[in-house]
């Protein structure tokens, strides 16, 4: 088929060149945005007297028809078209005749594609905000459900100090709330209208870019037409937000994998979000968490790919930029799926609180509390630290724990030990004494939970 841009050239291209050049297989998902953008464009052209009102009505009616035919399946996307913009214009012209050819006045595919992509990513961002809020809610509900469960907190993956399971969970709520903020902020830079930048230099027609932008729900209009058509930082920023969010999901996934292993056995995942092994009957594999962790690598790749594509491009539009969509769509689709699956998996998680508590009993996670006890009795911290360390070494040799030592054994290390040392090394007390702001003490965790619940309601 001869191209709509035939003129300077015959428009007769080799099939392999057409296939190589075509983006319809991945940009057809922007059909709705493309059509809505065109409706606003037609309305603007008429308002400015660039086309007749009657022509605009015809164009808008035709575009509405195309949208509803695509939605009900009576119109199929022609996969041999060059891209979604050409496809819509082609169908419009077939349906309306010559008036269809007026739609592309005072615009270019360069500002059109930038517009479509911004509209698409704006909707996608709103979707992510809902999904993130839902995830934060599920995390907070779990933290509340298990508000008394004590587990070892780790540093270097070595048992460090006892923490509430809810405190550990709420750390992730904080991360996803920051991701929420990052997407909210990124949305501001997405929501700037490029339409009317035209090919690169603006236009000689008396357009009204502000009218068109307002019709499409944009907050502002790009100030420089060359930037308007060549800026893809909004995609980079979006993917960077996605990458951070995937990184958080991936860290959480890693813990889910560890916690569901026989070595930890801190949690049990529901059957609905685990798989079996084809050969080992005892297996219950945390595939969902592993896949989220695995897919994170690909999403980082998407971000790197577009950063690399853009780094050497002169202004303004270059066809290289068509590569933006596969990266950004892949990153979006992946995060969308991961957020949904991860949230479902988390909602069905059962904490094995006895096992968590048991893990706290070994590993001397109350050794810091023992040192703090000695400090309260008047010893300098370094001396207290040293005595506590010697006690731990002694316990390891004697196969004892701090709770099972006798008072005489304590006193053989220091005269200052009294009966109240047993309260000091009691795990529940160790947690509750950490009442500093943001600490793992129960009041602090309950405060975090109520803070986040308010955030869910109001943000
Ligand atoms: N399919 C193209 C893209 O995704 C649309 C813009 C094409 N512009 C052009 N002058 N060839 O970037």
């Amino acid at each position: 088929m001869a191209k709509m841009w035939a003129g300077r050239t015959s428009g007769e291209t080799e099939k392999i060149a057409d296939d190589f050049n075509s983006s319809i297989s991945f940009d057809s998902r922007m059909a709705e945005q493309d059509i809505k953008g065109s409706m606003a464009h037609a309305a603007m052209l008429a308002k400015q007297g660039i086309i007749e009102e009657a022509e605009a009505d015809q164009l808008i009616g035709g575009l509405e028809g195309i949208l509803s035919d695509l939605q009900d399946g009576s119109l199929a996307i022609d996969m041999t078209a060059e891209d979604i913009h050409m496809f819509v214009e082609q169908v419009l012209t077939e349906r309306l005749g010559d008036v269809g050819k007026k739609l592309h006045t005072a615009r270019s595919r360069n500002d059109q594609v930038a517009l479509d992509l911004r509209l698409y990513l704006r909707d996608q961002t709103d979707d992510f905000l809902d999904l993130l809020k839902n995830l934060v809610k599920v995390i907070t509900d779990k933290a509340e459900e298990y508000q008394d469960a004590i587990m070892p907190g780790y540093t270097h993956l070595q048992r460090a100090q006892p923490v509430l399971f809810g405190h550990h969970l709420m750390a992730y709520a904080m991360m996803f709330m920051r991701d929420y903020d990052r997407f909210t902020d990124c949305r501001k830079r997405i929501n700037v209208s490029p339409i009317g930048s035209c090919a690169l230099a603006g236009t000689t027609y008396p357009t009204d870019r502000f009218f068109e932008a307002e019709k499409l729900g944009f907050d502002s209009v790009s100030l420089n037409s060359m930037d308007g058509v060549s800026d893809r930082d909004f995609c980079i920023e979006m993917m960077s937000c996605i990458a951070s969010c995937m990184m958080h999901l991936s860290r959480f996934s890693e813990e889910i994998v560890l916690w569901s292993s026989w070595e930890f056995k801190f949690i049990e995942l529901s059957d609905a979000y685990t798989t079996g092994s084809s050969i080992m009957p005892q297996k219950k594999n945390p595939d969902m968490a592993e896949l989220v962790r695995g897919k994170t690598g690909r999403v980082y790749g998407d971000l790197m790919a577009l950063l690399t594509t853009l780094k050497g491009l002169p202004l303004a539009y270059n066809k290289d930029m068509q590569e933006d969509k596969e990266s950004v769509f892949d990153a979006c689709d992946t995060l969308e799926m991961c957020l949904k699956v991860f949230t479902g998996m988390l909602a069905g998680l059962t904490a094995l609180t006895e096992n968590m508590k048991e893990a706290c009993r070994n590993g001397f996670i109350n050794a810091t509390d023992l040192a703090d006890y000695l400090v309260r009795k008047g010893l300098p911290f370094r001396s207290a630290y040293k005595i506590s360390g010697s006690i731990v070494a002694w316990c390891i040799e004697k196969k004892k724990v701090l709770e099972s030592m006798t008072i005489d054994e304590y006193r053989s290390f220091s005269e200052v030990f009294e009966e109240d040392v047993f309260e000091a090394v009691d795990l529940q007390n160790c947690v509750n004494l950490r009442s500093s702001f943001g600490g793992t003490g129960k009041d602090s965790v309950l405060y975090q939970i109520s803070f986040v619940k308010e955030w869910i309601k109001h943000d």
Side-chain angles (χ1 to χ4, degrees):
M1 197 201 325
K3 304 292 179 302
M4 268 195 272
W5 39 257
R8 162 72 177 82
T9 72
S10 66
E12 301 292 344
T13 43
E14 284 290 345
K15 175 160 182 337
I16 192 170
D18 277 348
D19 292 345
F20 189 61
N21 198 37
S22 171
S23 54
I24 189 103
S25 63
F26 48 87
D27 65 20
S28 56
R29 67 163 77 195
M30 305 190 302
E32 186 176 334
Q33 287 78 12
D34 192 75
I35 291 170
K36 289 189 169 155
S38 289
M39 287 177 181
H41 190 65
M44 185 281 290
L45 291 176
K47 181 185 95 65
Q48 296 301 98
I50 302 169
I51 62 173
E52 301 293 325
E53 283 289 350
E55 291 172 329
D57 291 345
Q58 260 185 289
L59 288 170
I60 291 167
L63 288 161
E64 270 165 2
I66 294 174
L67 183 58
S68 71
D69 291 352
L70 282 173
Q71 281 165 348
D72 69 20
S74 56
L75 173 65
I77 303 240
D78 173 7
M79 284 301 165
T80 66
E82 192 175 323
D83 54 31
I84 188 62
H85 327 292
M86 286 304 204
F87 170 75
V88 171
E89 199 183 329
Q90 183 95 38
V91 176
L92 190 69
T93 306
E94 278 161 19
R95 291 185 176 187
L96 300 183
D98 276 352
V99 69
K101 296 180 186 165
K102 294 202 172 185
L103 177 66
H104 211 53
T105 316
R107 75 170 185 188
S108 150
R109 268 188 300 158
N110 298 349
D111 57 347
Q112 193 179 351
V113 72
L115 171 74
D116 294 2
L117 199 46
R118 282 172 182 275
L119 290 173
Y120 184 90
L121 293 183
R122 188 177 72 186
D123 291 346
Q124 180 70 70
T125 305
D126 292 340
D127 226 28
F128 285 151
L129 293 177
D130 288 346
L131 290 170
L132 277 167
K133 196 167 254 196
N134 196 27
L135 172 58
V136 170
K137 187 182 176 311
V138 170
I139 294 172
T140 310
D141 288 348
K142 283 283 157 195
E144 192 167 35
E145 182 183 344
Y146 293 113
Q147 55 181 274
D148 291 315
I150 297 181
M151 67 179 281
Y154 296 81
T155 62
H156 312 268
L157 203 59
Q158 304 282 320
R159 290 172 189 165
Q161 291 176 349
V163 294
L164 288 181
F165 180 51
H167 191 55
H168 196 122
L169 290 178
M170 289 310 284
Y172 283 104
M174 305 299 147
M175 298 176 219
F176 294 118
M177 283 159 73
R178 284 196 297 278
D179 287 329
Y180 185 99
D181 284 350
R182 266 185 278 274
F183 278 114
T184 307
D185 206 53
C186 171
R187 192 187 189 284
K188 291 184 208 154
R189 281 170 292 280
I190 291 176
N191 206 26
V192 177
S193 175
I195 195 72
S197 298
C198 302
L200 77 164
T203 182
T204 54
Y205 293 97
T207 52
D208 184 347
R209 292 189 60 201
F210 294 89
F211 172 84
E212 206 166 334
E214 203 185 315
K215 250 190 160 349
L216 293 167
F218 283 106
D219 295 327
S220 60
V221 172
S222 64
L223 202 58
N224 178 299
S225 62
M226 294 181 80
D227 183 46
V229 289
S230 58
D231 165 28
R232 293 292 182 274
D233 351 331
F234 65 97
C235 301
I236 300 282
E237 198 179 343
M238 176 85 169
M239 278 195 279
S240 146
C241 297
I242 293 174
S244 292
C245 188
M246 286 296 297
M247 178 269 292
H248 291 146
L249 284 173
S250 185
R251 291 185 78 171
F252 205 166
S253 293
E254 169 66 12
E255 304 221 72
I256 299 278
V257 173
L258 284 174
W259 292 344
S260 55
S261 71
W262 280 105
E263 282 66 21
F264 279 79
K265 265 289 162 244
F266 284 0
I267 57 162
E268 177 89 31
L269 293 173
S270 75
D271 290 357
Y273 285 88
T274 42
T275 63
S277 155
S278 55
I279 172 168
M280 295 165 280
Q282 82 283 15
K283 292 296 277 298
K284 185 171 180 186
N285 295 330
D287 292 39
M288 309 303 136
E290 292 168 84
L291 274 171
V292 169
R293 191 178 60 186
K295 285 172 189 293
T296 303
R298 214 182 64 227
V299 168
Y300 292 176
D302 290 329
L303 171 62
M304 287 316 295
L306 188 57
L307 278 168
T308 312
T309 297
L310 291 175
K311 76 180 264 291
L313 295 187
L315 296 183
Y317 177 83
N318 301 269
K319 190 72 172 209
D320 315 45
M321 289 158 74
Q322 181 165 285
E323 291 289 313
D324 57 2
K325 283 172 282 298
E326 281 164 297
S327 304
V328 80
F329 292 159
D330 179 64
C332 287
D333 294 350
T334 307
L335 180 61
E336 169 118 15
M337 230 177 0
C338 288
L339 281 170
K340 286 179 182 164
V341 170
F342 192 91
T343 305
M345 176 182 70
L346 199 64
L349 171 154
T350 309
L352 305 176
T353 55
E354 265 315 306
N355 293 350
M356 291 179 177
K357 201 158 190 185
E358 195 49 45
C360 290
R361 292 199 183 99
N362 305 307
F364 301 98
I365 61 177
N366 40 7
T368 315
D369 301 86
L370 185 64
D372 289 343
Y373 169 85
L374 290 171
V375 170
R376 283 200 298 276
K377 294 283 175 190
L379 267 63
F381 181 76
R382 275 295 154 224
S383 315
Y385 174 95
K386 198 158 177 204
I387 293 171
S388 304
S390 315
I391 293 175
V392 169
W394 181 85
C395 280
I396 291 170
E397 205 192 302
K398 302 281 180 215
K399 296 203 176 354
K400 288 201 163 219
V401 291
L402 300 182
E403 296 91 314
S404 64
M405 284 174 67
T406 66
I407 187 68
D408 290 340
E409 285 165 347
Y410 271 116
R411 291 179 69 85
S412 69
F413 287 90
S414 166
E415 287 293 299
V416 304
F417 279 116
E418 293 175 81
E419 279 295 334
D420 57 357
V421 65
F422 296 105
E423 267 164 56
V425 296
D426 174 78
L427 291 173
Q428 199 81 44
N429 289 339
C430 294
V431 168
N432 277 332
L433 283 173
R434 290 195 164 70
S435 55
S436 55
F437 187 81
T440 194
K442 184 155 174 200
D443 287 347
S444 161
V445 174
L446 290 178
Y447 174 73
Q448 296 171 48
I449 292 172
S450 67
F451 180 94
V452 175
K453 280 184 162 180
E454 277 305 298
W455 177 86
I456 292 169
K457 260 193 264 162
H458 297 298
D459 194 85

